Amino acid sequence: MKHDISAGSVAQRRSIRAALGSMTATLLMLASLATFAPASAETGARHGSRTAILCAYEPEWQALLPSLTDRQDATYAGVTFVLGRIEGTPVVLIESGISQVNAAIATQTAIDHYNLDGIIVMGISGGVDPDLHVGDVVVPTQWREYLDSVFAREQNGQYTLPSYFAVPQTEHFGMIFPQPVRIQKPMGGTDLHTWFPADARLLDAARKVSADVTLENCTADRKCLPSKPRVIVGGNGISGPAFVDNAAFREFTRRAFQAEAVDMEAAAVAHTSYMNKVPFLSIRSLSDLAGGNAGSNEMEAFQSLASRNALAVLRALLVQLRSER
């Protein structure tokens, strides 16, 4: 009997040791996961939600940074994220680098590491609408990637799309036939998307401040614009991997897309934000006319002024959004 009890006790002790060992392994694994969790996730939890402000180009960045207080830096995927406040609003600033790919990577990385309540692209662009002028600020309702396109073959003096591509929704520019973007659906198949929308609430806030923002008219070296800049909320923006400085292509984009402005990043941010269900807006000030002016491109002369005008609208927007909370 004594022997049976001892055997039972040994078996019980072994069972307890096994259970404790399993629990210890689990606890160690959880501790390991906590140790190696991205610091950014902890940062997001500590600081709550933030508004991401994305620039692509150094003059935009230099205009933006002086508005920031309480600066803290972090780097993920080779991109520097600068945390702080602008007009009392918690923000994370991102200098993505020029190009749609850079902008998309920076946007997704920010979404993955921070609790974002919105993403705003701020900076300069080329003007497409002939009624707009250098220094004006445009806040488009939607954005499109204009070089998601087919470069068609020429046959008998005509360019023709292969039969398996979408029927053209716009006119083409020579061999370039713009196409919708194909987006994978969670359960398989694809959806076709032509335009990616700006967030309605952000657009409404932009409209509320548009008439009261003071925009600059002259550069630091006293080169002044012929007309007073203004803020236009609405219309279409387009993005692509090319810097546009060609009058014929500018005219095509106005006819085909009714575009107000053309840049190299905003549509990629809009696309990424759409996929992640994060509110998006883009504030673009015209530094040049994308080839539409009579002389040489004016971007170098007016890029700093245009950057500051975009910043003025951004700051007014953040104040308005803060008042609505």
Side-chain angles (χ1 to χ4, degrees), residues 98-105 145-146 148 239-241 264-265 267-268:
I98 295 169
S99 91
Q100 290 182 287
V101 174
N102 284 336
I105 290 171
E145 297 156 81
Y146 68 84
D148 255 274
S239 302
M264 299 175 69
E265 295 85 24

Side-chain angles (χ1 to χ4, degrees), residues 59-167:
E60 303 163 346
W61 188 244
Q62 293 305 321
L64 179 61
L65 280 180
S67 300
L68 186 77
T69 61
D70 308 322
R71 175 170 177 168
Q72 298 177 12
D73 291 13
T75 301
Y76 305 106
V79 179
T80 297
F81 297 86
V82 179
L83 280 67
R85 291 177 179 269
I86 296 179
E87 301 295 347
T89 299
V91 296
V92 53
L93 310 185
I94 312 160
E95 185 181 15
S96 67
I98 295 169
S99 91
Q100 290 182 287
V101 174
N102 284 336
I105 290 171
T107 301
Q108 188 62 58
T109 304
I111 291 168
D112 291 344
H113 285 81
Y114 296 99
N115 177 22
L116 301 183
D117 56 22
I119 298 175
I120 301 174
V121 177
M122 188 222 81
I124 64 176
S125 67
V128 176
D129 184 345
D131 291 333
L132 301 181
H133 307 284
V134 169
D136 287 346
V137 178
V138 295
V139 186
T141 303
Q142 56 185 359
W143 285 82
R144 175 174 180 159
E145 297 156 81
Y146 68 84
L147 271 184
D148 255 274
S149 303
V150 175
F151 284 17
R153 68 171 65 194
E154 184 178 1
Q155 295 178 313
N156 301 319
Q158 292 186 330
Y159 294 105
T160 306
L161 277 178
S163 60
Y164 45 82
F165 280 96
V167 175

Side-chain angles (χ1 to χ4, degrees), residues 40-48 115:
S40 55
E42 298 170 3
T43 300
R46 281 200 305 271
H47 293 282
N115 177 22

Side-chain angles (χ1 to χ4, degrees), residues 35-59:
T35 301
F36 291 101
S40 55
E42 298 170 3
T43 300
R46 281 200 305 271
H47 293 282
S49 64
R50 292 181 178 273
T51 300
I53 314 295
L54 184 143
C55 295
Y57 183 44
E58 188 65 17

Side-chain angles (χ1 to χ4, degrees), residues 28-312:
L28 287 171
M29 181 185 71
L30 291 172
S32 175
L33 288 173
T35 301
F36 291 101
S40 55
E42 298 170 3
T43 300
R46 281 200 305 271
H47 293 282
S49 64
R50 292 181 178 273
T51 300
I53 314 295
L54 184 143
C55 295
Y57 183 44
E58 188 65 17
E60 303 163 346
W61 188 244
Q62 293 305 321
L64 179 61
L65 280 180
S67 300
L68 186 77
T69 61
D70 308 322
R71 175 170 177 168
Q72 298 177 12
D73 291 13
T75 301
Y76 305 106
V79 179
T80 297
F81 297 86
V82 179
L83 280 67
R85 291 177 179 269
I86 296 179
E87 301 295 347
T89 299
V91 296
V92 53
L93 310 185
I94 312 160
E95 185 181 15
S96 67
I98 295 169
S99 91
Q100 290 182 287
V101 174
N102 284 336
I105 290 171
T107 301
Q108 188 62 58
T109 304
I111 291 168
D112 291 344
H113 285 81
Y114 296 99
N115 177 22
L116 301 183
D117 56 22
I119 298 175
I120 301 174
V121 177
M122 188 222 81
I124 64 176
S125 67
V128 176
D129 184 345
D131 291 333
L132 301 181
H133 307 284
V134 169
D136 287 346
V137 178
V138 295
V139 186
T141 303
Q142 56 185 359
W143 285 82
R144 175 174 180 159
E145 297 156 81
Y146 68 84
L147 271 184
D148 255 274
S149 303
V150 175
F151 284 17
R153 68 171 65 194
E154 184 178 1
Q155 295 178 313
N156 301 319
Q158 292 186 330
Y159 294 105
T160 306
L161 277 178
S163 60
Y164 45 82
F165 280 96
V167 175
Q169 298 173 326
T170 68
E171 66 175 278
H172 60 97
F173 187 77
M175 68 177 182
I176 302 173
F177 285 74
Q179 295 285 293
V181 177
R182 291 185 177 272
I183 295 180
Q184 295 298 124
K185 295 193 290 188
M187 303 304 293
T190 59
D191 280 332
L192 298 180
H193 282 257
T194 302
W195 295 96
F196 294 95
D199 179 70
R201 183 179 68 91
L202 296 177
L203 281 168
D204 183 61
R207 290 189 184 96
K208 289 175 181 176
V209 304
S210 61
D212 298 323
V213 180
T214 300
L215 301 179
E216 295 185 25
N217 193 54
C218 297
T219 65
D221 58 359
R222 304 308 300 168
K223 185 170 184 179
C224 296
L225 299 168
S227 59
K228 182 180 178 181
R230 55 203 175 114
V231 181
I232 296 89
V233 180
N236 299 330
I238 57 172
S239 302
F243 180 85
V244 178
D245 189 34
N246 180 274
F249 192 78
R250 175 183 187 258
E251 291 167 4
F252 159 71
T253 61
R254 180 60 182 169
R255 292 193 310 270
F257 310 119
Q258 293 77 54
E260 312 297 324
V262 56
D263 73 5
M264 299 175 69
E265 295 85 24
V269 179
H271 186 159
T272 308
S273 300
Y274 172 85
M275 297 293 290
N276 288 274
K277 297 180 173 57
V278 177
F280 157 83
L281 190 74
S282 181
I283 301 169
R284 287 303 202 191
S285 183
L286 308 186
S287 60
D288 63 279
L289 299 180
N293 56 310
S296 60
N297 189 285
E298 298 178 289
M299 189 184 79
E300 272 196 21
F302 292 108
Q303 61 188 7
S304 293
L305 178 149
S307 296
R308 291 192 298 273
N309 280 352
L311 174 64

